[in-house]
Coordinates of all heavy atoms in Angstrom, one line a residue:
K10 N -55.2 10.4 125.1 CA -54.7 11.8 124.8 C -54.6 12.1 123.3 O -54.8 13.2 122.9 CB -53.3 12.0 125.4 CG -53.4 12.3 126.9 CD -52.0 12.5 127.5 CE -52.1 12.7 129.0 NZ -50.8 12.8 129.6
R11 N -54.3 11.1 122.5 CA -54.2 11.2 121.1 C -55.5 11.3 120.4 O -55.6 11.8 119.2 CB -53.4 10.1 120.5 CG -51.9 10.1 120.9 CD -51.1 9.0 120.3 NE -51.1 9.0 118.8 CZ -50.8 8.0 118.1 NH1 -50.4 6.9 118.6 NH2 -50.8 8.1 116.7
L12 N -56.6 10.8 121.0 CA -57.9 10.8 120.4 C -58.7 12.1 120.6 O -58.8 12.5 121.8 CB -58.7 9.6 120.9 CG -58.2 8.2 120.6 CD1 -59.0 7.1 121.3 CD2 -58.3 7.9 119.1
K13 N -59.2 12.7 119.6 CA -59.9 13.9 119.7 C -61.3 13.7 120.4 O -61.8 12.6 120.4 CB -60.2 14.5 118.3 CG -58.9 15.0 117.6 CD -59.3 15.6 116.3 CE -58.1 16.0 115.5 NZ -58.5 16.5 114.1
G14 N -61.8 14.8 120.9 CA -63.1 14.8 121.5 C -63.2 14.4 122.9 O -62.2 14.0 123.6
R15 N -64.4 14.5 123.4 CA -64.8 14.1 124.8 C -65.1 12.6 124.7 O -65.9 12.3 123.7 CB -66.0 14.9 125.2 CG -66.5 14.6 126.6 CD -67.6 15.6 126.9 NE -68.1 15.4 128.2 CZ -69.2 14.7 128.5 NH1 -70.0 14.3 127.5 NH2 -69.6 14.5 129.7
K16 N -64.7 11.8 125.6 CA -64.8 10.4 125.4 C -65.6 9.8 126.6 O -65.3 10.1 127.8 CB -63.5 9.7 125.3 CG -62.8 10.1 124.0 CD -61.3 9.9 124.0 CE -60.5 10.9 124.7 NZ -60.4 12.2 124.1
V17 N -66.6 9.0 126.3 CA -67.5 8.3 127.3 C -67.4 6.8 127.1 O -67.6 6.4 125.9 CB -68.9 8.8 127.2 CG1 -69.8 8.1 128.2 CG2 -69.0 10.3 127.4
L18 N -67.2 6.1 128.1 CA -67.0 4.6 128.0 C -68.2 3.9 128.7 O -68.5 4.2 129.8 CB -65.7 4.1 128.6 CG -65.5 2.6 128.6 CD1 -65.4 2.0 127.2 CD2 -64.2 2.2 129.4
I19 N -68.9 3.0 127.9 CA -69.8 2.1 128.5 C -69.0 0.8 128.5 O -68.6 0.2 127.4 CB -71.1 1.9 127.6 CG1 -71.7 3.2 127.3 CG2 -72.0 0.9 128.3 CD1 -72.1 4.1 128.5
M20 N -68.6 0.3 129.7 CA -67.6 -0.8 129.8 C -68.2 -2.1 129.1 O -69.3 -2.4 129.3 CB -67.3 -1.0 131.2 CG -66.5 0.1 131.9 SD -66.2 -0.1 133.6 CE -65.1 -1.5 133.7
G21 N -67.2 -2.7 128.5 CA -67.5 -4.1 127.9 C -66.8 -5.1 128.7 O -66.1 -4.9 129.6
N22 N -67.0 -6.4 128.3 CA -66.5 -7.5 129.0 C -64.9 -7.5 129.0 O -64.3 -7.9 129.9 CB -67.0 -8.8 128.4 CG -66.8 -9.0 126.9 OD1 -67.3 -8.1 126.1 ND2 -66.1 -10.0 126.5
H23 N -64.3 -6.9 128.0 CA -62.8 -6.8 127.9 C -62.3 -5.6 128.6 O -61.1 -5.4 128.7 CB -62.3 -6.9 126.5 CG -62.5 -8.2 125.9 ND1 -61.7 -9.3 126.1 CD2 -63.5 -8.7 125.1 CE1 -62.1 -10.3 125.4 NE2 -63.2 -10.0 124.8
D24 N -63.2 -4.7 129.2 CA -62.7 -3.5 129.9 C -62.7 -3.7 131.4 O -62.2 -2.9 132.1 CB -63.6 -2.3 129.6 CG -63.7 -2.0 128.1 OD1 -62.6 -2.0 127.5 OD2 -64.8 -1.7 127.6
R25 N -63.1 -4.9 131.8 CA -63.3 -5.1 133.3 C -61.9 -5.4 134.0 O -61.9 -5.6 135.2 CB -64.3 -6.2 133.5 CG -65.6 -5.9 132.8 CD -66.8 -6.1 133.6 NE -68.0 -5.8 132.9 CZ -68.7 -4.7 133.0 NH1 -68.2 -3.7 133.8 NH2 -69.8 -4.5 132.3
H26 N -60.8 -5.4 133.2 CA -59.5 -5.6 133.9 C -59.1 -4.3 134.6 O -58.1 -4.3 135.3 CB -58.5 -6.0 132.9 CG -58.2 -5.0 131.8 ND1 -59.0 -4.8 130.7 CD2 -57.1 -4.1 131.7 CE1 -58.5 -3.8 130.0 NE2 -57.4 -3.4 130.5
Q27 N -59.9 -3.2 134.4 CA -59.7 -2.0 135.2 C -61.0 -1.5 135.7 O -62.1 -1.8 135.2 CB -59.1 -0.9 134.3 CG -57.7 -1.2 133.8 CD -57.1 0.0 133.1 OE1 -57.1 1.1 133.6 NE2 -56.5 -0.3 131.9
T28 N -61.0 -0.8 136.8 CA -62.2 -0.2 137.4 C -62.7 1.0 136.5 O -62.0 1.6 135.8 CB -62.0 0.2 138.8 OG1 -61.1 1.3 138.8 CG2 -61.5 -0.9 139.7
A29 N -64.0 1.3 136.8 CA -64.5 2.5 136.1 C -63.7 3.7 136.5 O -63.4 4.6 135.6 CB -66.0 2.7 136.5
Q30 N -63.3 3.9 137.7 CA -62.5 5.0 138.1 C -61.1 5.0 137.4 O -60.6 6.0 137.0 CB -62.2 5.0 139.6 CG -61.5 6.3 140.1 CD -62.3 7.6 139.7 OE1 -63.5 7.7 140.0 NE2 -61.6 8.5 139.1
A31 N -60.5 3.8 137.2 CA -59.3 3.8 136.5 C -59.4 4.2 135.0 O -58.6 4.9 134.5 CB -58.7 2.3 136.5
W32 N -60.6 3.9 134.4 CA -60.8 4.4 133.0 C -61.0 5.9 133.0 O -60.5 6.6 132.1 CB -62.0 3.7 132.4 CG -61.8 2.3 132.0 CD1 -62.3 1.2 132.6 CD2 -60.9 1.8 131.0 NE1 -61.8 0.0 132.0 CE2 -61.0 0.4 131.0 CE3 -60.1 2.5 130.0 CZ2 -60.3 -0.4 130.1 CZ3 -59.4 1.7 129.1 CH2 -59.5 0.3 129.2
R33 N -61.7 6.4 134.0 CA -61.8 7.9 134.1 C -60.4 8.5 134.3 O -60.1 9.5 133.7 CB -62.8 8.3 135.3 CG -64.2 8.1 134.9 CD -65.2 8.6 135.9 NE -65.3 7.8 137.1 CZ -66.1 6.8 137.3 NH1 -66.8 6.4 136.3 NH2 -66.1 6.1 138.5
N34 N -59.6 7.9 135.2 CA -58.2 8.4 135.4 C -57.4 8.4 134.1 O -56.5 9.2 133.9 CB -57.5 7.7 136.5 CG -58.2 7.9 137.9 OD1 -58.9 8.8 138.1 ND2 -57.9 7.0 138.8
A35 N -57.7 7.4 133.3 CA -56.9 7.3 132.0 C -57.3 8.3 131.0 O -56.5 8.6 130.1 CB -57.1 5.9 131.4
G36 N -58.6 8.9 131.1 CA -58.9 9.9 130.2 C -60.4 9.9 129.7 O -60.8 10.9 129.0
F37 N -61.2 9.0 130.1 CA -62.6 9.0 129.8 C -63.2 10.0 130.7 O -63.0 10.0 131.9 CB -63.2 7.6 129.9 CG -63.0 6.7 128.7 CD1 -62.0 5.8 128.8 CD2 -63.7 6.9 127.6 CE1 -61.8 4.9 127.7 CE2 -63.5 6.1 126.5 CZ -62.5 5.1 126.6
E38 N -64.1 10.9 130.2 CA -64.7 11.9 131.0 C -65.8 11.2 131.9 O -66.1 11.7 133.0 CB -65.3 13.0 130.2 CG -64.2 13.8 129.6 CD -64.7 15.2 129.1 OE1 -65.7 15.7 129.6 OE2 -64.0 15.7 128.2
E39 N -66.4 10.2 131.3 CA -67.4 9.4 132.0 C -67.2 8.0 131.7 O -66.7 7.6 130.7 CB -68.9 9.8 131.6 CG -69.2 11.3 131.9 CD -70.6 11.6 131.4 OE1 -71.5 10.8 131.4 OE2 -70.8 12.8 131.0
C40 N -67.6 7.1 132.7 CA -67.5 5.7 132.5 C -68.6 5.0 133.3 O -68.9 5.3 134.4 CB -66.2 5.2 133.0 SG -65.9 3.4 132.8
S41 N -69.3 4.0 132.6 CA -70.4 3.3 133.3 C -70.2 1.8 133.1 O -69.8 1.4 132.0 CB -71.7 3.7 132.7 OG -72.8 3.0 133.3
Q42 N -70.5 1.1 134.1 CA -70.5 -0.4 134.0 C -71.8 -0.9 133.5 O -71.9 -2.1 133.1 CB -70.2 -1.0 135.4 CG -68.9 -0.6 136.0 CD -68.7 -1.2 137.4 OE1 -69.1 -2.3 137.6 NE2 -68.1 -0.4 138.2
W43 N -72.8 -0.1 133.4 CA -74.1 -0.5 133.0 C -74.6 0.3 131.7 O -74.1 1.3 131.4 CB -75.1 -0.2 134.1 CG -74.5 -0.6 135.4 CD1 -74.2 0.2 136.5 CD2 -74.3 -1.9 135.9 NE1 -73.7 -0.5 137.5 CE2 -73.7 -1.9 137.2 CE3 -74.4 -3.2 135.3 CZ2 -73.3 -3.0 137.9 CZ3 -74.0 -4.3 136.0 CH2 -73.5 -4.2 137.3
P44 N -75.6 -0.2 131.0 CA -76.2 0.5 129.9 C -76.6 1.9 130.4 O -77.0 2.1 131.5 CB -77.4 -0.3 129.5 CG -77.0 -1.7 129.9 CD -76.2 -1.5 131.2
V45 N -76.6 2.8 129.4 CA -77.0 4.2 129.7 C -78.1 4.6 128.7 O -78.1 4.2 127.5 CB -75.7 5.1 129.5 CG1 -76.1 6.6 129.5 CG2 -74.7 4.8 130.5
I46 N -79.1 5.4 129.2 CA -80.1 6.0 128.3 C -79.6 7.3 127.7 O -79.1 8.2 128.4 CB -81.4 6.2 129.1 CG1 -81.9 4.9 129.7 CG2 -82.5 6.8 128.1 CD1 -82.4 3.9 128.8
Y47 N -79.7 7.4 126.4 CA -79.2 8.6 125.7 C -80.4 9.2 125.0 O -81.2 8.5 124.3 CB -78.1 8.1 124.7 CG -77.7 9.1 123.7 CD1 -76.7 10.0 124.0 CD2 -78.2 9.1 122.4 CE1 -76.3 11.0 123.0 CE2 -77.8 10.1 121.4 CZ -76.8 11.0 121.8 OH -76.4 11.9 120.8
K48 N -80.6 10.5 125.2 CA -81.7 11.3 124.6 C -83.0 10.6 124.8 O -83.9 10.6 123.9 CB -81.4 11.5 123.1 CG -80.2 12.4 122.9 CD -80.1 12.9 121.5 CE -79.0 13.9 121.4 NZ -78.9 14.5 120.1
D49 N -83.3 10.1 126.0 CA -84.5 9.5 126.4 C -85.1 8.4 125.5 O -86.2 8.0 125.7 CB -85.6 10.6 126.5 CG -85.3 11.6 127.6 OD1 -84.7 11.3 128.6 OD2 -85.6 12.8 127.3

């Protein structure tokens, strides 16, 4: 809530203590457990 902007998480090894849905519930607009292609 304190961090500005829209936030997207690509989960790392230390983020796996919570599910992707838990991260979205915490405030990330999107969350992926896998790499994501950005701008093709």
Side-chain angles (χ1 to χ4, degrees):
K10 281 182 184 175
R11 292 181 61 195
L12 295 171
K13 291 180 184 175
R15 179 175 181 260
K16 294 160 280 290
V17 176
L18 176 64
I19 309 303
M20 291 172 71
N22 54 303
H23 290 279
D24 300 318
R25 305 225 182 263
H26 64 283
Q27 295 190 46
T28 65
Q30 187 57 52
W32 286 112
R33 285 188 285 275
N34 293 344
F37 280 99
E38 291 194 29
E39 296 177 37
C40 180
S41 177
Q42 297 178 38
W43 315 111
V45 169
I46 302 292
Y47 171 83
K48 294 195 175 184
D49 298 324

